[in-house]
Amino acid sequence: MNRPFVLARALAFLLLLAHCARALTVVPPERIDGLDLALPDPGECALRILAPTLLEIVRINSKAPDPDPVDSWDFVDPEGNLNLPDVSQFQVSVDGHPDAVRGAGFKRRPRYAPLAVRDLRIDNRIYLALARPIADGQAVTVTTADAALWPANITFTATADPLRYSPAVHVNEEGYMPSRPKEAMVGYYLGSLGELNIRFVGFTTFTLVDAASGAVVFHGRLMQRPDSGFTYLPRPYQGVYEADFSAFDTPGLYRLVIPGLGASLPFPITDGVAMDFARAYALGIYHQRCGAPNALPYTRFTHAACHMAAASVPLPQADFENAWKTIARDTASLDPTQTAPRLEDPASQLYPYVNQGPIDVSGGHHDAGDYSKYTIDSAQFIHYLVFAADALPGAGALDNLGIPESGDGRSDLLEEAKWEADFLCKMQDADGGFYFLVYPRDRPYENDVLPEFGDSQIVWPKNTSATAAAVAALAQAASSPLFKRQFPDAAALYLWKARLGWSFLTHAIAAHGKDGAYQKLTQYGDLFMHNDELAWAACEMFLATGDPAFERKLIEWYDPADPATRRWTWWRLFESYGCACRDYAFAVRTGRVKASQLDPAYLAKCETEIEAAGKDALAASDNSAYGTSFSAQAKRSRSAGWYFSVERAFDMTVAYQLRADPDYLDAIFSNMNYEGGSNPLNLSYITGIGSKRQRQIVSQYAQNDHRLLPPSGIPIGNIETGFMWTATYGKEIGKLSYPPDSAKSDPYPFYDRWADTFNTGTEFTIVTQARSLATLAWLAAQSPLKDQPWKAVPARIDVPRGYVQVNKPITLTCTAPGLDLTAAKIVWEIQGLDLIEGATCTFTPPAPGSYRVEAEAQWTDGRRVFAAATVSALATTGSASQRDSNGVVSGR
Ligand SMILES: [Ca+2]
Ligand SMILES: [Ca+2]
Ligand SMILES: [Zn+2]
C-alpha cells in the first residue's frame, strides 16, 4: 500500500472557534486509521464511504487535563448523554445531487496516550446514514454550516472506489497458508448507530482479487457468524460475517473485496505464515534475555549485557529495610488452609537463607515488561518450551528461528529453555530450596532505566511453591530425550539439582506438615497454595527417575477430575496442575517412560482433562464472532485482562495431539488470525508486525530507549476491559470513551476496545510467549519451511555520496549480502523523528547534527535483518559520514 499523503488540504487561516485548539486538516482516512505506521495528529480529519448508504467522518482531537472538556466535538454531556447536531446540519451530495441524511451516530475513544509525556489524541467518528446508496465511482461531498462541526471552508470529498480500503474487512495481514483454513471476517461497530448490518445493505458475497492487478481470482458467499456469550443487550457482534476462502490455495498477494464496502489490507497466501509468527515470537523472547546483550545482527533493539552484578541476600535486615518492607507487603494470606506463620522479616522465614554472600543469578529472561525474574514463571517458561520440543511433532527439530543459536544443529526451543534453566539452577540455595525471585533492591520496578543500567538486585526468600516449580522444570528438562542428547552435562546437573530440591520439599513437609510448609510471598504460585507445584514436581521426578514412589505422591496430590484443581473450578490445566497433567499424559509419547510404567486409570483422567480443555477453547472460539477463544465466563463477568489469542489456543494444540480433530486446527488458526489483524481494529497484537503498530506497550525497555517503536515480537493483550489508571492521565482517558465501557447496556463492545497506551492489563509475560511459541513452532514445523536454513546476517544502510545538509532530503537504502530485500517489508526509524515503510528511506534533516537511522526488514516467512547507521547533517557544506553499528566512521 502506498504511503498516504500526509496533507490533502491545509487551512488558509487559523482557528475560527475559541475552543478549537488546532487547525483542521483533511487527510486520507487510512492515515487516521494508523496504517503505514502513522500516528494521527490532533486536528486531522477524514471522510470515508463505509458502505453505499453510510459515511464515516473521523476527527482526531485532544483534551487539556480535567476539568477542561475535549477541545472540539464535545457531544457527550457530563451525564453521558449524546447530543449530536441535528442531521439537517450535514449536507451530503453525490455526483452533485443532494442525498438526504436519515440518521447520525457517534463513537469516541482515546487513540493514543503515551505514558511519559501527556499527548492525548482522541478518535471521534460521526456516522451518517444516507437515504440513497452511492454507486461505485460516484463522488461524495459533505459540508456543514455548523461551525461547531467544522469550518465552512472545509469540504469533505471521497470517491466510491470499489477497491478502497475498508476497515470493516478483517484479514490476517501476515497471510494464510495454502493448505490451511483461510477465513476473514466482516463487521463494523458504528457507535450509537449500532452495528453495520451487512445483510440489510445487501452484501452476501465476497471476492478475492490479486493485490497488484485487481483481477478476481475467487468468489465466495459470506456466512453469518454471530457472537454468543455476552449477556448484556443489545447483544454485540451479531452482524459479523465470515468469508471462507480455504478452497483457494495459489500463493500470491491478495485483497478480499466485499462489493460496496471495499477491500481488505493486502495479505499473502504463502507457506511462510506459521514460521513468520514463530520467528516473531522467538525474537520477542530473545528481547527478554537477561545477562547478555541484545545485539546486531539479531535485533536493532540493542542493549549491553544487563544485571551482571551478583545479587545480594538481604541480610542483615538493617541494611535492607526497604527490601523487607516490600517482601512482607503481600505475604498475608486469606486462605484458611495456609497455617504457616506469615513471612514478615528474616526471623519469620521457615527456610532461612543458607548462603549469605552475593549470588550470581545472571541469565534467564526478564519476566515481562519489568526486568525482574520470577521463579514460578521461569519454571513455566521451561515447561512449555520443553513440552513443545518433546511432544509437538517437529517443533524440537527447528533450528532456524533466527536466534543467536539458530543454525548450530541443536533445537532452538531447547536452547531458549536452557537459557532459562541455567539461570534457574543459580536460584537454588545450599539447602536445595529455590529463591522466590530476583528483584531490585530498593523498589519494585526499574522503570526509569535501560536494563544495562538496572538496579542492584536481591534474591527474595525461598518457599515451597517456587522450589517445587523449579524442581519440576529442571527434572522435565533433564528427562527430555532430546535435551539429554544435545546437552548431556546440563541434563545431569539439572537432575541433581532437582533431587536436591525434592529433598528440601520432603524435609519441609516432614517438619511443618503439608499445609504448614507453604509461606506465601506474593500471588505468584499462591493459587492452590503449593499443592499444584508439588504435584507437578512429583510428576516430573517420576518421569525423570521412573521411581513409582513419586507417582504415588502425584496421584495422592492431584486428581485431574476434581473441579477444585481448576481455577475458579472451570479453568482447566491452570498453571502447575496443567503441567503435571500434560506431562503425565504425554510421558510415553515423549519417550520418558514405557506405557507399562503408567497407571492406566490415572492416564485416562489426564487425557480426559486435556481433551476437555481443548474443547473449552474450541467452544469459546466457535462462540466468538471473530474466532478468538475468549471464554464464556469472561464474557459473563465482562472482564478481560492478560488475554492473548494464540496463547489461549495452546490447549487445543495439545488436545489435537491426542485426537486430530480438524476443528481444533481451524480454531487455532482463527486465534492466530485474530492476533495477526483479523479483528475489528485490523490491528496486529504482536509488535513488529502489520501496517498498524502500537507504540506504547508495558515494557521498561521500550519506555526508556530512544525508539518510537517497542521491540519487535512482543505480544500485546488482545482484549481489554478498559483503560487503567496511570500517573499521567489518572482516570481521565477511561471517562472519554463513548459509549462508556462501563455502561450497563450497550457498552463499547469488547473486541473494539483498544488504545495505544500503557495498559498493564495487556502486559505479556515469558509464559505467554512460551505458550504461544509452542503452538506456532508446531505449525511451522508442519510447513515446508521447517528446514529453511536461517540465521541472522548483518545488513547495512547505505548513505548516498556527497554532503548531507539541513533541509535537503536524502535517500537511504538498505542491503544485506546474498539476500533480496525487494521482497521484504522495510521499516525505517529515524530517531525521534519518523517511521517510514518502504524500500528506501527519504528524510530531510531539520537541524544540524547526528541522526541515528535504523532499518528492520521482514520477509513474509518472518526472517528479519536489521541495520543501523548514523547520518551527520551539516548546516552549510561539509562531508557526510556514515558510522556503522560497530562504531567505525567511514567518510563518504
Ligand atoms: Ca539451534
Ligand atoms: Ca500454587
Ligand atoms: Zn537483565
Side-chain angles (χ1 to χ4, degrees):
M1 174 167 290
N2 293 322
R3 184 168 165 73
F5 296 105
V6 173
L7 300 177
R9 175 186 279 257
L11 280 181
F13 55 91
L14 286 175
L15 313 177
L16 282 175
L17 303 166
H19 72 272
C20 182
R22 287 164 231 253
L24 274 182
T25 307
V26 181
V27 300
E30 289 81 0
R31 174 178 160 80
I32 291 206
D33 281 356
L35 299 181
D36 293 320
L37 317 175
L39 184 64
D41 293 320
E44 290 184 339
C45 54
L47 169 68
R48 160 180 285 136
I49 303 169
L50 200 55
T53 57
L54 203 57
L55 303 178
E56 179 182 68
I57 302 170
V58 198
R59 176 174 187 166
I60 303 295
N61 67 4
S62 188
K63 179 184 170 304
D66 279 344
D68 276 28
V70 288
D71 66 22
S72 54
W73 284 18
D74 190 10
F75 303 139
V76 182
D77 70 21
E79 284 72 48
N81 302 307
L82 178 63
N83 303 301
L84 264 187
D86 189 79
V87 292
S88 62
Q89 296 299 316
F90 300 93
Q91 277 74 54
V92 176
S93 79
V94 178
D95 275 356
H97 303 288
D99 198 344
V101 178
R102 293 184 302 130
F106 180 67
K107 72 182 182 192
R108 177 173 78 188
R109 198 161 183 90
R111 164 70 173 76
Y112 179 66
L115 185 67
V117 190
R118 187 184 174 97
D119 179 6
L120 178 57
R121 305 180 189 201
I122 309 161
D123 186 299
N124 302 266
R125 298 187 185 226
I126 291 175
Y127 296 95
L128 301 179
L130 305 179
R132 281 186 294 108
I134 303 159
D136 281 353
Q138 288 191 311
V140 179
T141 64
V142 185
T143 57
T144 185
D146 181 353
L149 280 166
W150 61 83
N153 68 313
I154 284 195
T155 300
F156 287 102
T157 61
T159 302
D161 176 353
L163 292 180
R164 68 191 180 277
Y165 163 70
S166 170
V169 185
H170 315 294
V171 297
N172 180 347
E173 211 186 325
E174 297 306 290
Y176 299 83
M177 297 169 81
S179 57
R180 297 295 198 177
K182 297 174 207 69
E183 285 152 15
M185 307 299 183
V186 185
Y188 202 68
Y189 177 58
L190 306 172
S192 58
L193 274 192
E195 276 185 75
L196 175 65
N197 192 331
I198 292 165
R199 194 164 46 182
F200 177 73
V201 285
F203 308 118
T204 53
T205 62
F206 71 89
T207 61
L208 211 56
V209 302
D210 183 280
S213 69
V216 174
V217 297
F218 186 81
H219 288 273
R221 294 194 72 77
L222 294 174
M223 304 290 290
Q224 194 169 8
R225 195 187 161 109
D227 203 279
S228 69
F230 286 106
T231 51
Y232 58 83
L233 294 171
R235 300 265 187 263
Y237 304 114
Q238 301 305 294
V240 178
Y241 284 72
E242 181 181 294
D244 188 329
F245 52 102
S246 301
F248 183 78
D249 58 6
T250 309
L253 190 65
Y254 303 99
R255 300 176 77 195
L256 190 109
V257 180
I258 310 295
L261 295 190
S264 72
L265 290 168
F267 61 87
I269 291 180
T270 167
D271 282 319
V273 180
M275 192 60 95
D276 174 62
F277 276 79
R279 284 179 173 143
Y281 267 88
L283 176 61
I285 289 173
Y286 172 65
H287 285 140
Q288 295 301 110
R289 267 190 205 187
C290 188
N294 274 178
L296 285 164
Y298 306 104
T299 183
R300 70 186 181 92
F301 300 93
T302 55
H303 68 75
C306 58
H307 301 103
M308 298 300 287
S312 302
V313 168
L315 293 175
Q317 185 179 7
D319 292 351
F320 294 88
E321 287 293 348
N322 281 339
W324 280 100
K325 269 186 211 140
T326 311
I327 292 168
R329 196 180 51 206
D330 293 325
T331 55
S333 176
L334 297 174
D335 182 348
T337 55
Q338 187 187 323
T339 55
R342 180 176 174 181
L343 198 162
E344 294 181 281
D345 50 30
S348 54
Q349 298 175 98
L350 286 185
Y351 315 105
Y353 291 101
V354 182
N355 288 331
Q356 309 226 336
I359 301 165
D360 169 21
V361 286
S362 60
H365 296 86
H366 299 145
D367 182 64
D370 60 320
Y371 304 142
S372 296
K373 295 181 284 198
Y374 297 64
T375 299
I376 292 282
D377 280 1
S378 285
Q380 297 269 319
F381 176 85
I382 294 164
H383 166 79
Y384 289 110
L385 295 183
V386 175
F387 178 85
D390 288 343
L392 304 179
L398 295 174
D399 185 26
N400 52 6
L401 293 178
I403 59 174
E405 295 80 10
S406 292
D408 68 355
R410 296 192 286 199
S411 167
D412 283 1
L413 293 187
L414 290 184
E415 284 169 314
E416 281 296 0
K418 182 175 182 293
W419 186 269
E420 189 68 29
D422 288 346
F423 150 75
L424 193 54
C425 286
K426 300 176 180 175
M427 292 288 280
Q428 189 171 37
D429 200 356
D431 59 2
F434 283 78
Y435 306 116
F436 188 74
L437 52 62
V438 184
Y439 215 57
R441 173 182 167 145
D442 288 314
R443 56 178 177 169
Y445 302 114
E446 298 149 90
N447 51 20
D448 56 0
V449 285
L450 284 165
E452 63 264 49
F453 306 117
D455 291 20
S456 299
Q457 293 178 308
I458 57 170
V459 289
W460 277 30
K462 294 162 286 191
N463 76 359
T464 46
S465 63
T467 299
V471 165
L474 292 176
Q476 185 190 348
S479 59
S480 158
L482 185 59
F483 192 88
K484 281 196 281 193
R485 207 159 58 239
Q486 296 190 340
F487 307 100
D489 295 347
L493 174 69
Y494 296 175
L495 187 58
W496 182 77
K497 289 200 156 260
R499 284 184 186 278
L500 194 63
W502 181 267
S503 147
F504 170 93
L505 296 169
T506 309
H507 287 125
I509 292 170
H512 307 288
K514 195 179 176 210
D515 287 350
Y518 169 70
Q519 275 185 310
K520 182 190 175 194
L521 268 305
T522 71
Q523 81 277 12
Y524 282 81
D526 190 53
L527 187 68
F528 317 116
M529 279 199 349
H530 60 184
N531 296 333
D532 56 328
E533 289 84 5
L534 285 173
W536 182 29
C539 176
E540 301 298 348
M541 290 303 290
F542 166 57
L543 300 178
T545 64
D547 180 348
F550 292 115
E551 187 189 35
R552 285 195 295 274
K553 278 289 166 204
L554 167 64
I555 293 172
E556 176 194 334
W557 285 344
Y558 172 44
D559 177 0
D562 180 358
T565 64
R566 298 172 193 140
R567 189 183 198 190
W568 302 315
T569 73
W570 57 265
W571 194 330
R572 300 171 200 273
L573 304 180
F574 199 79
E575 292 194 350
S576 292
Y577 280 139
C579 301
C581 187
R582 214 173 281 123
D583 279 359
Y584 193 89
F586 283 79
V588 176
R589 286 178 182 79
T590 61
R592 283 176 167 76
V593 294
K594 295 190 186 68
S596 61
Q597 289 173 274
L598 296 182
D599 179 324
Y602 194 75
L603 175 63
K605 273 190 180 183
C606 290
E607 291 187 344
T608 300
E609 187 70 356
I610 287 170
E611 179 112 18
K615 283 181 177 162
D616 287 350
L618 176 58
S621 171
D622 285 346
N623 289 332
S624 166
Y626 286 92
T628 185
S629 289
F630 191 55
S631 72
Q633 291 86 352
K635 287 176 177 175
R636 264 203 299 279
S637 65
R638 296 173 66 170
S639 70
W642 303 280
Y643 178 84
F644 303 84
S645 298
V646 175
E647 186 261 343
R648 294 300 168 94
F650 176 76
D651 286 337
M652 293 188 284
T653 297
V654 179
Y656 184 87
Q657 312 309 319
L658 297 182
R659 192 172 60 84
D661 181 345
D663 288 348
Y664 284 140
L665 259 191
D666 201 73
I668 290 167
F669 277 99
S670 296
N671 277 287
M672 191 172 128
N673 292 342
Y674 192 91
E675 210 158 284
S678 183
N679 55 61
L681 303 160
N682 292 355
L683 175 72
S684 165
Y685 287 102
I686 305 163
T687 59
I689 271 179
S691 299
K692 284 167 93 158
R693 296 208 178 169
Q694 188 160 336
R695 299 184 181 205
Q696 292 285 311
I697 68 165
V698 180
S699 158
Q700 286 175 173
Y701 178 89
Q703 289 293 335
N704 288 293
D705 87 328
H706 58 74
R707 295 172 181 85
L708 296 171
L709 289 175
S712 296
I714 302 291
I716 307 164
N718 303 180
I719 305 177
E720 57 195 63
T721 307
F723 296 94
M724 294 276 189
W725 181 94
T726 59
T728 320
Y729 306 94
K731 289 182 173 173
E732 208 181 314
I733 47 178
K735 291 186 295 186
L736 285 167
S737 181
Y738 184 84
D741 294 339
S742 57
K744 253 179 108 71
S745 62
D746 213 3
Y748 209 97
F750 264 80
Y751 309 144
D752 283 73
R753 295 181 185 183
W754 173 77
D756 190 342
T757 186
F758 183 94
N759 185 330
T760 50
T762 64
E763 185 184 7
F764 71 104
T765 66
I766 55 171
V767 183
T768 319
Q769 294 177 297
R771 271 174 73 97
S772 303
L773 179 57
T775 291
L776 298 167
W778 169 61
L779 292 175
Q782 308 307 307
S783 80
L785 277 75
K786 65 180 170 28
D787 298 318
Q788 176 197 39
W790 178 242
K791 188 174 167 55
V793 297
R796 139 173 219 105
I797 292 173
D798 292 310
V799 182
R801 287 177 174 282
Y803 307 119
V804 177
Q805 285 182 46
V806 168
N807 295 327
K808 291 210 168 144
I810 59 160
T811 296
L812 311 177
T813 54
C814 183
T815 52
L819 293 167
D820 176 13
L821 281 163
T822 57
K825 171 174 182 155
I826 307 180
V827 170
W828 301 81
E829 179 155 347
I830 304 150
Q831 183 178 344
L833 280 184
D834 206 0
L835 295 169
I836 291 171
E837 188 207 316
T840 61
C841 164
T842 298
F843 90 103
T844 307
S850 291
Y851 295 84
R852 182 176 173 85
V853 180
E854 295 179 350
E856 178 169 349
Q858 175 206 0
W859 285 269
T860 55
D861 55 26
R863 288 175 297 145
R864 284 172 201 250
V865 295
F866 303 90
T870 301
V871 174
S872 298
L874 303 177
T876 50
T877 59
S879 69
S881 69
Q882 174 197 7
R883 189 170 68 224
D884 71 21
S885 53
N886 298 316
V888 180
V889 176
S890 55
R892 288 264 169 157

